[in-house]
Amino acid sequence: MATSSGSSATQINSGSEEALMDERKRKRMISNRESARRSRMRKQKHLDDLMTQLTQLQKQNHEIITNINFTTQHLLNVESENSVLRAQLNELTHRLQSLNEIISFLNDDHGGDDDDDDKTSIDFTQPAVADNIFLNPFHLAYLNQPIMASADNTFQY
């Protein structure tokens, strides 16, 4: 009888061990499923975050490209205006040089007495005499024209 009770105790022990193993296996399987679900959720959240970041970076990239295009256009406008101003500067410098040459000519040749070594400059506030009317640069019509310069005719060859 002792042998039969030992074998039934072993069977009960084996049965309870199997039930305990099945319970552990079931708990581990539930835990693994829950862990896999959490892992999928983390992966989906990371993917959503990356998609949001991608959208933001594309928007920033578009804004930067727009800003670069605007700045480039502004640069071209400033360079064009600078070219016009340089042409005007050259024209005004040339005119000033011409006027200074005329004044120097008038002062050297017609500005004072022939006997006097101390030459005086012409007084342009006094009316000019008939023989000096063509020598006075303020009576020359072409010198009283406005100075015009534009980008259209600045670089014509």
Side-chain angles (χ1 to χ4, degrees), residues 116-156:
D116 194 8
D117 288 341
D118 185 23
K119 303 244 177 183
T120 59
S121 63
I122 295 175
D123 185 7
F124 291 106
T125 60
Q126 299 297 320
V129 290
D131 62 335
N132 281 342
I133 196 165
F134 295 110
L135 297 177
N136 187 341
F138 293 106
H139 288 98
L140 299 177
Y142 70 90
L143 291 177
N144 290 330
Q145 297 299 318
I147 297 172
M148 296 291 198
S150 69
D152 298 338
N153 60 6
T154 303
F155 297 108
Q156 291 180 353

Side-chain angles (χ1 to χ4, degrees), residues 4-61:
S4 66
S5 73
S7 108
S8 75
T10 307
Q11 285 178 353
I12 293 174
N13 240 356
S14 278
S16 69
E17 283 181 19
E18 269 185 47
L20 186 61
M21 292 296 275
D22 286 341
E23 182 64 26
R24 285 181 185 164
K25 189 176 182 181
R26 188 181 65 75
K27 284 182 179 180
R28 190 170 53 248
M29 205 163 68
I30 291 171
S31 174
N32 285 346
R33 283 182 185 159
E34 185 61 28
S35 177
R37 185 184 68 78
R38 286 191 309 264
S39 176
R40 285 190 303 273
M41 287 176 62
R42 280 193 308 269
K43 186 177 179 180
Q44 185 63 43
K45 184 180 181 320
H46 184 65
L47 183 62
D48 292 343
D49 291 344
L50 288 175
M51 291 302 290
T52 302
Q53 186 180 11
L54 173 66
T55 303
Q56 289 174 347
L57 290 174
Q58 285 174 334
K59 182 181 175 185
Q60 287 176 352
N61 191 30

Side-chain angles (χ1 to χ4, degrees), residues 31-138:
S31 174
N32 285 346
R33 283 182 185 159
E34 185 61 28
S35 177
R37 185 184 68 78
R38 286 191 309 264
S39 176
R40 285 190 303 273
M41 287 176 62
R42 280 193 308 269
K43 186 177 179 180
Q44 185 63 43
K45 184 180 181 320
H46 184 65
L47 183 62
D48 292 343
D49 291 344
L50 288 175
M51 291 302 290
T52 302
Q53 186 180 11
L54 173 66
T55 303
Q56 289 174 347
L57 290 174
Q58 285 174 334
K59 182 181 175 185
Q60 287 176 352
N61 191 30
H62 178 71
E63 289 172 357
I64 289 170
I65 288 172
T66 302
N67 193 11
I68 287 172
N69 289 338
F70 175 77
T71 304
T72 301
Q73 185 60 43
H74 184 69
L75 172 67
L76 293 174
N77 291 342
V78 167
E79 285 178 342
S80 174
E81 183 181 354
N82 197 15
S83 293
V84 170
L85 291 173
R86 285 188 179 163
Q88 288 175 346
L89 174 67
N90 287 337
E91 177 66 22
L92 289 172
T93 301
H94 179 69
R95 285 186 180 195
L96 179 62
Q97 184 180 9
S98 295
L99 288 173
N100 284 335
E101 288 174 3
I102 291 170
I103 290 172
S104 176
F105 172 76
L106 292 175
N107 285 336
D108 288 346
D109 291 341
H110 307 292
D113 295 334
D114 292 334
D115 299 342
D116 194 8
D117 288 341
D118 185 23
K119 303 244 177 183
T120 59
S121 63
I122 295 175
D123 185 7
F124 291 106
T125 60
Q126 299 297 320
V129 290
D131 62 335
N132 281 342
I133 196 165
F134 295 110
L135 297 177
N136 187 341
F138 293 106

